[in-house]
Each structure stands twice: as C-alpha cells, then as structure tokens.
Amino acid sequence: MKVSYNLLKSFVSFDLEPMEFAWALTSIGIETSVISNTCNWPNVVTAKILDINKHPQADKLSLCKVSDGTKEYTIVCGAKNISVGQVVPLAKVGAVLPNNFQIKKSKIRGIESEGMLCSKKELGISKESEGIYILDDKTKIGSTLESVLGDSDSIFDIEITPNRGDVLSHLGVAREIGAKLKKIVTIPKIKTFNVSGLNCVQVKSNLCLRYIGGVISDIKVGESPKWVKDILEKSGIRSINNIVDITNYVMLELGQPLHAFDLEKLSSKNIVVRAANESEKITALDGKEYSLSSDMLVIADDKQPVAIAGVMGGQYSGIDVSTQTVFLESAIFDSVSIRKTSRKLNLSSDSSYRFERGLSWDIAETAFWRAVNLISDIAGGKIEAREDLQNVKREKTSIALRINRVFKVLGYKINEDEIIEILRYLGIDLESKGEVIFCTVPSWRNDIKEEVDLVEEIVRIKGYDTIPLQSKQAAYSSTLNESFIGNTVENFRVKLNGLGFNEALNCSFCEIKELEKFGLQYSYKIMNPVSKENEVLRPSLLPGLYKNLMLNISQCAESVTLFEFGKVFNELGEKKNFSLIAYGRVWQEWWKWEEQKISPKYDFYFGGGVIKNILSEDFVIVQNLTPAKYYHIGKTASIIYRGQVIGQVGILSPSINEDLKDEIFYCQMDIDAIEKDKNSKVIRYKSFSKLPLVRRDISVIADKSLPFNEIESIIKGVMKSNGILRNYSLFSVYTDEAKIGKGKISYSLRLLYRDDNKTLTDAEVNKDMIHLLEKLDKNLQVKLRD
Amino acid sequence: MNNIESIIKEAILQIKEADLKAIESIKVKYSGKSGVLTQILKSLSNCSVDDKKRIGQEANKAKNIIETEIELRKEALKKEILEEKMQKEKLDYSNKFYFPFTKGSFHPIIQTIQDISSVFKSLGFSIAQGPEIETNWYNFEALNIPQNHPARDVQDTFYLVGMKELLRTHTSPGQIHVMETQKPPIRVIVPGKVYRNEASDATHSATFHQVEGLSVDENITFVDLKAVLSDFTHEFFGTDVDIRFRPSYFQFTEPSAEVDMQCIFCKGKGCRICKNSGWIELLGCGMVHPNVLKAVNYDSEKYTGYAFGIGVERIAMFKYGIDDIRLFYENDLRFLKQF
C-alpha cells in the first residue's frame, strides 16, 4: 500500500525525514520503503525544447536542443510525445533520479547526450507513464523541478503482515507512528446528521455483521478536485469521477472500503444483503461477468445483484454523469467469507484486500459520515435517509495483563509506567490494579486477542533494539555427535567423495511420463501442482539422477558420478533412500598412460566394486532374484544387510537409452532398513603376526554358469577352518574357450598364507592349497588349470 | 711426537683433496694393517714404559682423528654425488601434476545444513527430523494457523490426492513432533526439505530447505533468543557482522521477529545484493505462542520457549555468491565440482 507523507502529517504531527520515517515504521514491524521522494530531484530543471532532429544513426531516437534559459543542451531522446516549444523536466549531468539512477554524460549511438528528458515514471511521480512529462507551456524555464511542481511530498510503500489490516490506511499508519513517537493522532472533523431511517434495506445473511446505508440526493457527478486526484494517483488508484473518487479517498484515509451506486438504476428501491443464488451472474465494474455460488454474499435489488459484497460493484448500477441519487454503503462483512469469494472468483480489489484482513466496527460509521461530508462539499449532495443494521452485538475485547508475565516472556524489565504509556498511545483503554493491568482493546485492533499479544505490543513499540544482548555461549555444553544425515549415509558420502563422486540434490517431484521409461509406479499424486513437473512425488531417486546424468552428458562430460540422499515416496511410504549413478570412464586421460593404457569404464564390475568398497562387512552382494524393471536383467545384484535385502545394484536396461555409448551403473539402498537395525557392530581389534607372508597364485577352471561367489564361499570356509589361509584376491579372468574348453571360465586367484606362531614351510602351504583345491573340485567341479 | 702431529696434518690435507676412490687408499695408508700409524704402534714394543704409554696414546688419538675425518669426508662426498645424480634426474614440475581421478564434491545445500547444524550443536542443540508428508494438524493447526486464515495465502501448499495429507510448507511441524515426544527442557534443531506450491524462478523453488530451531523450558525468554541467534550469526558469518531484530508476524510465535544481518558483501554500505539497504533478511523467529504449547499439552504458564526458522538456500546463496536458486537442483557437474 502506498501512503503520502503529507496526508499522514494531517493526522499526526511529526518531523522525521522520509528515510527516518521509513525506518521508524519498519522498526515497529511495518515494513516501509520510500518509493519516491518527490521533494528532492537534484539537478533536474525545467527546460524548453528549441529544436528536434532525427538522430543520424538511429531511426527511433531524436536529437533535441533544449534551453534552461542560460545554456543550451543537446539531448538524445527516444520519446515520441515531444514537440518544439514544450517545457519539460531536464535531468542534467549529475542528477540522481529515484532508484539511484545517476545521470552521466554518455554517448548514445555516437552522439553525446548532455542529460536526459524525464518521464513521470523516471521521476518517481507515477508507477507507469508514457513519454516525457510535458509541463505547462507557461512554466518558467530554468527553475528547479520541485519549485515548479510545488508539491513536496514523499510516497512510501507499506507492506503489512497478514494480521495488521488496521494499518491499511493513512489513519492506520498515523496511529502506528503516533504510538512510536508518543504523539496524539487526530482525524478530520466530521459532521453527522440526524436523518430518517431507510426502510428498504434488509440483511438476510449473518455474513454481514454491520450494514450502514444512506441515500444522498441532488449530487452532481463530475471531475474530482486536484487534491483528491493527487492522493489517488499517489496511491495508484485511477480517478473515475468525484463520487467514486471520494469513496476511494475515504478508504485510503480511514481504511474502510465504501461502495456507492446509482439508486435510480436499480429495478426496485429495495436493497437486500443476501447469499448469492447458485450460478447467479453479475457483470462487475471490471467489465467481466462472474458466476456466483451460494456461499458468496451479494447486495441485490429485487431482480439482480448490484455488487459482490466487499469485492466489487456491479457495472449496471455504477455511478456515471447522469447519476443524481447515490446509495452509499459502509459495511462490515465476514472476513473469511470475503476471502473465499475473492479466491474462488480469482478477483481481488482494494476493498476485498481490506475486508479479508478485518475492519474496525467503529470506523465503519466514521467513514460513512466522512464520505457524506466530502460528497456534500464536492458534489453538492444531501443526505436524505440512513440505516445502520447490526447483525451481532459488538463486544469489546478485554484482557488482563500481568506485569510479571511481561518479564517472563521478554526476560528483561520494563517498568509499569512505561508499559502503561505505550499501551495508552496504542489507543488501549486501561485500568491498573496492583500487578495487573486491565486493558480494553480499540475496535480496530482485531489482532490483539490475549495477554501475549499485549506483551508483543509493548516490546514492539519499545523497540527490539532495547532487548539486551547477552551472549551465553560459554554456558552451552555440546551434545551428541549427531548429524541430520545419519551415520550410515555420512560414511557413504565421505567415502564416495574420496572416490570422486559428486553429491546431487534433486526436487522431490516427477512427471508421470518420466516414470514410465523406468517402469516405476508412483504412489503419491499432487492434487494442485503448479506444473507437470510437480505431478507426483518421486518413488525413486533414479528419475532425478538420470536427468542430471543426461544434462551432464549433453554438456560433454566424459564421466558422470553422482550420488543423492533423500526421501522417496513409494508403496512403503516416505523412505530415506541413498542412490548412486555412474557413467563413462573411471579415469580421465593421463599423459603417462601413453605407457600404461588402462582406462576402465563404470561397468557392472567397476561400479559394483565401488559399492563394495563403501559398504561395511555387514553387507553382502548376492544374486538379484527380483530385479527392478529398470535394470539389465543379466547385470544386476542385490545388496543384503544382515539378512535383509536393502538395495540393488546393476546396469540400467539398454531400453532406457539406446543412444549412449557406455552403460549406466545405478545403485539404490533403503536407508531406513539399515538404520532400523540399531545394533551396530563394535569393531574389535585382532592382533596380527609379524611372521612372513607366503603368496601363491593359482588358476582354476569353472563352468561359466557358476556364480563366482560360490567359489569365494569355499575359500572363506577354508580360511575360517584352518587359520593359515589369510586372504585371497581375484586378479585375472580368462574366457578364451578355445584354450580352456567350451562353457568354461578361468579365474586366477592369489592366495596369501601366514601362521601367527612360526614361519610356514612350502610343504605346509602346499598341503593347505591342495586341501582347498580338493574342496573346490568336490563341491563345485572347479579344477586347477595346468 | 712432532712426527705424529705432522702425520695428522699431512693426512687431513690428503683427505680434503680425496675423492671416494682415493679416500679408501688414504684409510689403508694411515690406519690399515700396515699403515703408518699401525707401524708406529707396532714399533712401540722397543720403547720405555713411559714412551709406550705416551706415544701409544698419541698414535691412537691420531688414528681416531684421521678415521673421523675420513668418515666425514666420505659422507660429504656421498651427499655430493647424490645431489649430482638428483640434479640429472630433475623433472618438470610446472604443469604435469595431473591426477586422472577427478575429485568428488559435497552438495552446497547439504554442506550448508551441516555447517549450520554444527554451529547449533556447539550451542547445545541436538538434531531431530520429521516427515515431509504432513497432516493439516502438524503443518497448520497445532501451529496456531487456523483454516481460512489469510496467512495460509502466503504458504501455498501442495496437497496429496485422495488423502488428507500435504507436503510440509516449513520445518515448523518438527516443533510439534519434538514436543509431543519429549518433555522440557527442549533444545533442538530440525533441518529438512520443505515444499511450496509456486512457480520456480531465480529466487523461488518449489522444493527448498530450512533449519527449524526450538528451545522450551521454564525460563526461556526473548533475551535468550536474541543471544542464541546473535551467537549463531557471529559463529557462522564472523564476529564483525551486525544483526538487528525487527517485529514481524508468524502465527506460531508471539512476539515475532525478523532478523536482518548486515550485508556481508558491502559491509552495510549498500549494494545491489542488499538492494542498497545495507541489510539482508536472515531468518524469522519469536517466542513460542502459548496456543502452540497448549496444542502439545504443555503448561503455557510454566513453560516458555523460542523458535526460529532459517532458509538454507538463502544462506548458501549469500555465502557462495550464487544468484540463481535453480542451480542447486540442476546438478551440473561444473557447478557441483566447485564445492
């Protein structure tokens, strides 16, 4: 909301510079910024246009010769509304326009411009403007602009929090600054009249709490006086005619939305405030037709609605030049109902904005009379009759405030006298009895409902900067070494970081279409997505990571390694998941590899190796009996954690993307399942021998169909039983069937032997190795290769 | 006697000149089996007991001196040779250090949450978490946000189809979960992902992160809130950063405040980032509203508390100078690798 510095001063006297004023309000919770400080345009003067020529380098620009009476200036200008002889504002070099726009000497398309001709927008006088601000022809040239405009006002933009509807007027802002500066606020003198009642108004809905209506006759519709138009323009409201302008002016002054309509245009003299009929139509003042529903409130004559209550008037009953008799309405409607109506119709107005935030019971009447007074002063009207229908009995809010409660909440002492003074300047009636102050809240402060609200008022006006700052850092003791990520994932993250993986973070949404590609099903659909991207909650981290992968491939990344930790939303509910995607070459080019040409890709084995590397001994990788649909069925495995399947690894199905050069490795793990098991293993140190290690390399031939882990489990069995075989590794796999036989595969294994108590002899090692080979042969028909 | 001294002089002179090969022959010449000094010692058998003792001592001393000199010279020579060898092996260090394994990275948002968390951990807070799918009760009602309150306008909520559930619009429901399961004293932060139903642009994202803070006990006051947030800001951004509290409005706190931090880019002078104000909005906070305490069956007369909510993206954007929030969720490696 925009407010005028000058109009505010008519309510409360203060002498703060605009910037100080803006901060004073901001410091009490009313965010205020100076949007134009019209009394200050340094180096902007009035100048006459002497000559206009086309810019030789640009069709749309012109070269103007202007004079301020003492000197001539060449100005490059793009506006079309200028002509020779006009007087215009000239911002000379060194001028500073609103938004810190500094005018410097500059070349525009090769021609130097010695300043700028200004529009109203550039001067901060209005929000929008077309072309240069053309001043009156008779304006004296060479004068400062502020001396010519003669209106030294500043405009502020005020942003209120949703609870402070009472600040949405000049009076409201004045009350706030008055409370801060301890100044009395006065409102314009208002004359009331004793007139007869109106018998034609009926309120048929309890959504209308108070309805003041009056008939004003003999009015003359015309243009508003300048002072009314100025305030409307500064507030960004279009001037229509004197009657409509007065209703808006009073709203800006006092905060009460008013509505006026032409009584003679109604089909009957009866006015009803009622619920709309289902599908009832009304063409509002914005020219659009709205279809209403029965939860909305309308003002109607016998036949049709004349206004959507609190939101907008109807077109057909609008005031125009022929209007002679006006019906003036000042009402209080249920704020929730207005809000719902406004949302449902997608129609909001200055009026609905205020109704939604709650109005003052008392000001409704003040505003009515203020408008009656202004109409009679400006448009010559006379009030004939008036009705004030009250649907509820208005009760004032009374709150008992305990002085010690103020201290309990704030933690520092404010003395009682100061508390009382602050509350009084806020318009609160009070009575102090011992340790308790009994407060009666003024009608405009609907937001003050309980004791703690008064506590806030006290500290808000006193100033948050008066709260003492006491660092207590030394008093804190550190707590457990927790992380919001959890120890399991924290461990994965650190290890993967060392392995060159990058942490990703995706939004939690997916498009349904995206899921189909992966054979994924969604479980949670969004009712009101802003766009298709937000259709459903992701059932897996794969779609997001895949999208990231494709983005990076499109940006020519040779390898992409990403991991993400986040929630997935599937048939099991909201689950913590950890996923990893890897693509392309593991190592980058290296000049020394001219000698050693190794460059593995993130294939099934390398990717699986990464996973095995980051997992503790509690995890095992086994055959995948129920691979996810997005996996290559021949290149996938399951991850088991203490007997429970918690994830899968593998290569994505080639059907997902047939154009890629390499395979995509993907692994996902259910972290909830891991974290559920709280009995984490404590590491126990095992002593180790200083005696030498004996190394044996052997090659064995097995059936291709035999999973390697069956060989491993035999080796592990031997390791467990005899104690001298300490470790093994697979260092080569050979598959040339011509040499080793059809359907066969050869594994080269390195076996490491050690005895803790003595140096092993060859015979002892051989004996143990033969024992292993016999077991492999007997159980798996795996034979030593010769 | 003079003889032995001159032998030492002569030997030292030779040692200084010798190379590695010559030094061995010097050793033989003086202290070898038929070396000069060995000969002297051998010839002593014909001398008097006194001479034997005196000359023997001197010859042995001379032998020691010469042998020590020889060792020192040998070491010096070996060092020289090694240095020469290394000089010859000298490699070009200038641009060939290149690790073919690219380094990994942590996501700046997660990192920022970790950093914020560790500051609050040092201030005595523990860490809690809550679900992202919430009910009206946790997200709104228990937090004193009634149905149809205009405040719900600013929190455009994603609702789930077919369920009375929604995606949490803030981490504040975490306050309710914590208080429902624990008794005071409470001192906890709740970091996590939150959702707002709005179109994304450079400063808005439908998914973003917050860190909620809550402290409830018998004597928690606004003064404590100011202290903890001031400590946090100084730990996180530096002790020279000023902060200020402005009154604000949140349904679940009363009194409520907005905390501004002095712009860290211009040090309060005013720049593009702080829109010339010199201040940057940092977080929202306040004293827990008695209605919130009542909602979790706490005695609102006995207990008071404060709560705050920090926008993680906002802080990360300031910290790293990032001007478009969408960069966080694109996961372009050229972005990620910078962290």
Side-chain angles (χ1 to χ4, degrees):
Chain A
M1 183 191 59
K2 292 181 183 60
V3 295
S4 146
Y5 187 67
N6 289 350
L7 188 54
L8 284 169
K9 283 192 164 181
S10 72
F11 288 96
V12 59
S13 76
F14 58 89
D15 51 339
L16 292 177
E17 285 297 307
M19 289 303 280
E20 292 172 330
F21 175 79
W23 171 245
L25 277 176
T26 304
S27 77
I28 56 170
I30 314 290
E31 251 189 284
T32 305
S33 51
V34 184
I35 49 168
S36 81
N37 195 348
T38 48
C39 55
N40 188 17
W41 295 291
N43 277 318
V44 181
V45 297
T46 53
K48 195 176 213 114
I49 302 177
L50 304 177
D51 195 15
I52 302 175
N53 283 307
K54 263 201 164 165
H55 189 297
Q57 318 289 343
D59 287 347
K60 287 189 176 159
L61 298 177
S62 47
L63 290 182
C64 304
K65 196 146 271 168
V66 301
S67 167
D68 65 355
T70 50
K71 199 180 159 222
E72 283 184 14
Y73 301 83
T74 306
I75 308 290
V76 179
C77 183
K80 291 197 187 81
N81 67 331
I82 45 169
S83 59
V84 174
Q86 285 172 338
V87 179
V88 292
L90 165 69
K92 297 193 286 189
V93 172
V96 182
L97 299 183
N99 297 321
N100 208 16
F101 179 22
Q102 300 185 13
I103 305 298
K104 293 173 191 154
K105 215 174 226 193
S106 63
K107 271 194 177 169
I108 301 167
R109 295 284 186 109
I111 305 243
E112 194 156 281
S113 186
E114 298 169 290
M116 187 179 93
L117 306 185
C118 310
S119 67
K120 281 189 176 182
K121 189 184 172 190
E122 284 154 346
L123 292 166
I125 297 173
S126 67
K127 212 171 165 187
E128 288 306 323
S129 57
E130 276 173 36
I132 302 301
Y133 186 8
I134 310 296
L135 300 164
D136 194 287
D137 285 356
K138 292 169 200 106
T139 309
K140 189 169 168 262
I141 60 171
S143 319
T144 60
L145 190 62
E146 48 262 39
S147 70
V148 170
L149 292 184
D151 174 24
S152 59
D153 198 0
S154 293
I155 308 298
F156 301 97
D157 192 17
I158 301 225
E159 218 175 293
I160 61 146
T161 52
N163 59 329
R164 293 303 306 274
D166 65 295
V167 184
L168 290 172
S169 66
H170 284 78
L171 172 64
V173 175
R175 278 192 300 243
E176 286 292 299
I177 203 73
K180 178 71 189 173
L181 303 175
K182 305 201 189 330
K183 301 271 187 191
I184 301 290
V185 175
T186 53
I187 56 170
K189 266 217 176 77
I190 287 162
K191 223 158 75 189
T192 60
F193 301 92
N194 262 330
V195 289
S196 61
L198 264 173
N199 297 319
C200 59
V201 184
Q202 256 186 301
V203 175
K204 287 186 172 170
S205 165
N206 54 12
L207 295 177
C208 174
L209 310 178
R210 184 175 192 183
Y211 197 88
I212 305 171
V215 175
I216 306 168
S217 61
D218 295 333
I219 58 126
K220 231 177 125 100
V221 176
E223 212 179 320
S224 293
K226 187 171 179 300
W227 58 273
V228 171
K229 278 164 99 178
D230 277 353
I231 290 295
L232 294 186
E233 189 182 351
K234 285 167 185 172
S235 303
I237 293 177
R238 202 157 50 96
S239 168
I240 312 277
N241 57 48
N242 51 9
I243 302 299
V244 176
D245 288 359
I246 287 166
T247 60
N248 283 327
Y249 182 85
V250 173
M251 176 181 77
L252 294 173
E253 248 191 353
L254 306 176
Q256 170 70 38
L258 299 171
H259 184 54
F261 49 88
D262 188 337
L263 200 61
E264 280 144 21
K265 285 185 187 158
L266 303 195
S267 63
S268 67
K269 290 277 180 277
N270 292 327
I271 291 161
V272 193
V273 184
R274 60 163 169 86
N277 299 320
E278 204 59 43
S279 306
E280 196 168 10
K281 304 273 191 300
I282 181 171
T283 303
L285 282 167
D286 63 357
K288 288 185 194 141
E289 190 185 70
Y290 294 91
S291 177
L292 308 176
S293 57
S294 58
D295 54 349
M296 298 174 181
L297 196 61
V298 292
I299 318 299
D301 59 20
D302 283 350
K303 286 196 176 130
Q304 58 183 320
V306 298
I308 310 165
V311 181
M312 199 172 272
Q315 202 174 39
Y316 97 99
S317 61
I319 310 286
D320 59 33
V321 280
S322 66
T323 303
Q324 288 178 328
T325 308
V326 160
F327 186 88
L328 180 69
E329 163 199 300
S330 177
I332 297 182
F333 302 114
D334 178 71
S335 53
V336 172
S337 157
I338 301 294
R339 177 167 178 268
K340 278 186 181 163
T341 304
S342 168
R343 292 221 112 188
K344 225 166 165 178
L345 298 176
N346 194 18
L347 171 66
S348 68
S349 60
D350 287 317
S351 163
S352 68
Y353 187 72
R354 287 171 173 81
F355 273 110
E356 284 174 29
R357 283 155 184 79
L359 296 173
S360 159
W361 189 266
D362 298 347
I363 300 281
E365 185 165 8
T366 314
F368 177 84
W369 288 117
R370 172 71 173 154
V372 168
N373 290 179
L374 287 176
I375 289 173
S376 113
D377 289 353
I378 291 167
K382 187 170 156 272
I383 179 129
E384 297 279 351
R386 173 180 173 273
E387 197 69 76
D388 182 357
L389 300 170
Q390 302 185 9
N391 222 343
V392 288
K393 192 162 161 26
R394 145 112 179 123
E395 275 170 35
K396 291 194 167 176
T397 310
S398 296
I399 302 166
L401 173 70
R402 293 162 295 172
I403 304 286
N404 62 3
R405 190 70 191 172
V406 179
F407 178 74
K408 183 161 168 79
V409 174
L410 300 180
Y412 76 120
K413 203 149 174 57
I414 304 176
N415 69 45
E416 192 177 343
D417 292 346
E418 196 178 354
I419 291 175
I420 288 171
E421 190 185 28
I422 289 171
L423 294 176
R424 284 220 164 106
Y425 274 105
L426 283 165
I428 291 168
D429 279 336
L430 52 85
E431 198 183 335
S432 176
K433 278 185 188 164
E435 283 299 291
V436 183
I437 303 171
F438 293 94
C439 302
T440 307
V441 180
S443 75
W444 57 86
R445 290 302 300 269
N446 302 326
D447 62 308
I448 301 179
K449 295 189 185 96
E450 51 193 297
E451 191 180 29
V452 71
D453 297 328
L454 291 170
V455 175
E456 177 176 65
E457 288 303 306
I458 294 160
V459 68
R460 179 176 77 90
I461 299 297
K462 184 166 167 62
Y464 281 12
D465 55 339
T466 64
I467 302 165
L469 184 54
Q470 301 166 351
S471 172
K472 293 192 172 177
Q473 211 165 346
Y476 307 134
S477 62
S478 195
T479 51
L480 298 165
N481 185 25
E482 303 161 89
S483 148
F484 92 105
I485 284 170
N487 291 339
T488 310
V489 174
E490 195 63 71
N491 199 341
F492 293 163
R493 289 174 77 234
V494 172
K495 285 178 176 166
L496 284 169
N497 181 286
L499 292 171
F501 278 68
N502 304 284
E503 186 169 34
L505 194 57
N506 280 290
C507 294
S508 307
F509 302 101
C510 280
E511 265 182 70
I512 294 173
K513 205 179 73 201
E514 275 178 293
L515 296 177
E516 286 163 7
K517 180 189 310 198
F518 305 104
L520 287 165
Q521 300 281 321
Y522 65 86
S523 301
Y524 295 88
K525 196 166 182 221
I526 301 294
M527 199 171 71
N528 54 339
V530 265
S531 71
K532 275 211 151 190
E533 286 169 17
N534 303 335
E535 263 180 320
V536 294
L537 285 175
R538 59 183 180 192
S540 157
L541 297 178
L542 176 58
L545 287 170
Y546 177 78
K547 204 194 250 175
N548 304 153
L549 170 73
M550 297 315 290
L551 168 83
N552 282 294
I553 291 174
S554 77
Q555 299 299 325
C556 304
E558 282 212 325
S559 88
V560 182
T561 51
L562 295 168
F563 65 87
E564 181 173 3
F565 171 55
K567 296 275 178 74
V568 296
F569 306 85
N570 52 33
E571 67 283 359
L572 301 170
E574 180 181 330
K575 294 279 167 198
K576 286 182 201 161
N577 192 280
F578 186 87
S579 291
L580 170 158
I581 201 162
Y583 174 85
R585 51 196 305 163
V586 174
W587 294 317
Q588 293 175 296
E589 297 289 354
W590 192 29
W591 59 275
K592 283 211 80 173
W593 275 335
E594 284 156 23
E595 299 152 35
Q596 314 147 36
K597 291 212 181 291
I598 328 162
S599 183
K601 294 275 177 69
Y602 279 105
D603 60 5
F604 184 49
Y605 291 113
F606 203 100
V610 168
I611 298 303
K612 224 174 159 181
N613 184 284
I614 66 164
L615 295 178
S616 70
E617 281 174 13
D618 290 328
F619 296 83
V620 276
I621 293 178
V622 301
Q623 198 184 347
N624 196 347
L625 297 172
T626 51
K629 283 185 182 148
Y630 47 76
Y631 277 127
H632 181 307
I633 49 164
K635 297 180 180 175
T636 172
S638 290
I639 305 172
I640 308 273
Y641 176 76
R642 298 188 185 170
Q644 193 195 345
V645 179
I646 55 98
Q648 302 190 8
V649 294
I651 295 297
L652 291 187
S653 163
S655 68
I656 290 170
N657 193 326
E658 286 164 358
D659 303 328
L660 288 180
K661 186 168 85 206
D662 296 321
E663 296 177 321
I664 304 167
F665 178 82
Y666 178 73
C667 165
Q668 66 85 19
M669 284 181 265
D670 176 6
I671 299 303
D672 281 318
I674 300 170
E675 287 181 343
K676 214 166 60 197
D677 192 340
K678 295 275 182 210
N679 315 311
S680 69
K681 252 192 209 165
V682 178
I683 295 171
R684 300 291 305 175
Y685 157 76
K686 294 181 205 86
S687 64
F688 46 86
S689 165
K690 291 187 172 72
L691 291 162
L693 200 63
V694 180
R695 196 177 97 179
R696 288 291 156 88
D697 291 348
I698 58 163
S699 291
V700 292
I701 293 179
D703 272 345
K704 244 187 187 157
S705 60
L706 179 75
F708 180 71
N709 67 0
E710 294 199 20
I711 297 176
E712 279 186 304
S713 66
I714 298 274
I715 299 172
K716 282 178 180 163
V718 171
M719 279 166 68
K720 258 191 194 148
S721 64
N722 72 359
I724 68 163
L725 178 58
R726 288 302 165 84
N727 213 342
Y728 71 95
S729 59
L730 174 68
F731 68 90
S732 174
V733 177
Y734 188 71
T735 53
D736 187 350
E737 295 187 352
K739 297 209 170 122
I740 56 176
K742 207 167 161 24
K744 298 285 180 190
I745 186 163
S746 163
Y747 298 108
S748 297
L749 296 162
R750 176 156 301 160
L751 305 171
L752 299 169
Y753 292 91
R754 185 187 338 243
D755 191 300
D756 291 344
N757 305 313
K758 62 178 196 302
T759 304
L760 287 169
T761 64
D762 269 358
E764 283 167 318
V765 173
N766 289 346
K767 190 181 151 207
D768 195 83
M769 211 168 76
I770 288 162
H771 170 66
L772 171 67
L773 286 168
E774 277 172 2
K775 272 202 133 173
L776 285 173
D777 191 3
K778 199 176 130 202
N779 294 311
L780 306 170
Q781 289 77 51
V782 171
K783 294 186 180 355
L784 186 69
R785 183 180 164 206
D786 12 69
Chain B
M1 194 189 90
N2 276 343
N3 193 17
I4 290 180
E5 252 174 43
S6 62
I7 289 172
I8 295 173
K9 262 188 192 161
E10 185 193 270
I12 286 173
L13 223 64
Q14 284 175 22
I15 289 166
K16 273 186 181 155
E17 299 294 311
D19 63 10
L20 215 51
K21 215 170 164 189
I23 205 130
E24 288 306 323
S25 54
I26 292 170
K27 197 175 175 181
V28 172
K29 183 175 167 194
Y30 290 97
S31 61
K33 271 181 187 162
S34 51
V36 182
L37 290 167
T38 321
Q39 290 301 325
I40 290 174
L41 286 167
K42 276 183 182 166
S43 68
L44 287 180
S45 54
N46 305 324
C47 296
S48 67
V49 178
D50 270 4
D51 281 355
K52 238 186 209 169
K53 198 180 171 189
R54 186 175 47 79
I55 298 173
Q57 267 176 3
E58 274 175 23
N60 270 325
K61 205 174 145 198
K63 205 175 163 184
N64 276 339
I65 289 169
I66 290 167
E67 279 177 358
T68 308
E69 282 300 317
I70 286 172
E71 281 314 305
L72 284 174
R73 175 68 184 156
K74 256 166 96 176
E75 254 170 53
L77 279 170
K78 272 187 192 157
K79 211 173 148 193
E80 241 172 65
I81 289 162
L82 183 65
E83 252 163 42
E84 209 172 298
K85 183 175 174 252
M86 290 194 295
Q87 275 298 330
K88 277 184 199 151
E89 289 174 352
K90 192 173 179 181
L91 295 179
D92 175 11
Y93 67 87
S94 57
N95 58 3
K96 291 187 181 167
F97 288 163
Y98 182 69
F99 191 56
F101 210 73
T102 57
K103 74 176 174 141
S105 57
F106 291 125
H107 197 280
I109 290 297
I110 304 290
Q111 203 49 53
T112 305
I113 294 178
Q114 302 275 61
D115 294 347
I116 293 171
S117 302
S118 73
V119 173
F120 280 111
K121 272 194 308 198
S122 77
L123 297 175
F125 285 76
S126 53
I127 299 174
Q129 281 183 76
E132 290 170 21
I133 296 178
E134 276 294 3
T135 60
N136 259 313
W137 167 255
Y138 286 103
N139 199 71
F140 294 122
E141 272 140 48
L143 290 164
N144 197 33
I145 313 172
Q147 197 94 40
N148 284 311
H149 195 284
R152 286 206 191 180
D153 270 357
V154 261
Q155 306 216 332
D156 286 307
T157 313
F158 281 113
Y159 287 93
L160 295 173
V161 170
M163 275 168 269
K164 284 180 182 158
E165 285 169 322
L166 51 88
L167 296 179
R168 65 175 175 193
T169 57
H170 45 187
T171 41
S172 308
Q175 292 183 25
I176 308 300
H177 287 289
V178 169
M179 289 192 282
E180 274 182 350
T181 51
Q182 293 173 39
K183 291 267 155 279
I186 283 169
R187 197 172 174 84
V188 68
I189 58 165
V190 189
K193 218 178 211 179
V194 300
Y195 303 87
R196 297 269 168 96
N197 196 355
E198 51 191 16
S200 69
D201 60 31
T203 51
H204 296 88
S205 166
T207 308
F208 58 101
H209 297 77
Q210 287 184 337
V211 176
E212 190 79 10
L214 176 72
S215 176
V216 180
D217 202 356
E218 278 183 41
N219 290 305
I220 301 288
T221 69
F222 209 149
V223 168
D224 299 313
L225 170 63
K226 199 168 179 178
V228 85
L229 291 178
S230 157
D231 285 346
F232 164 72
T233 317
H234 291 152
E235 279 285 308
F236 198 84
F237 291 102
T239 45
D240 56 338
V241 176
D242 259 1
I243 59 169
R244 72 177 186 195
F245 282 64
R246 273 187 294 116
S248 188
Y249 174 67
F250 307 105
Q251 292 82 355
F252 39 99
T253 52
E254 185 86 18
S256 301
E258 197 101 38
V259 179
D260 297 333
M261 172 181 74
Q262 200 177 45
C263 178
I264 48 173
F265 297 96
C266 62
K267 297 274 175 238
K269 286 192 202 87
C271 65
R272 193 178 58 84
I273 289 158
C274 60
K275 293 183 192 125
N276 280 319
S277 69
W279 295 92
I280 289 168
E281 277 181 35
L282 188 63
L283 56 88
C285 62
M287 298 302 293
V288 179
H289 197 289
N291 291 349
V292 177
L293 296 174
K294 283 173 199 156
V296 293
N297 296 318
Y298 275 20
D299 180 350
S300 64
E301 276 295 307
K302 188 174 170 191
Y303 296 111
T304 49
Y306 61 73
F308 54 84
I310 303 173
V312 178
E313 273 75 0
R314 204 178 154 69
I315 286 202
M317 286 168 87
F318 284 129
K319 192 174 169 196
Y320 300 112
I322 294 164
D323 56 2
D324 191 332
I325 198 170
R326 289 167 293 200
L327 283 166
F328 289 125
Y329 307 106
E330 272 169 10
N331 299 309
D332 190 316
L333 286 167
R334 293 167 298 177
F335 175 78
L336 296 178
K337 292 241 179 248
Q338 297 182 33
F339 301 96

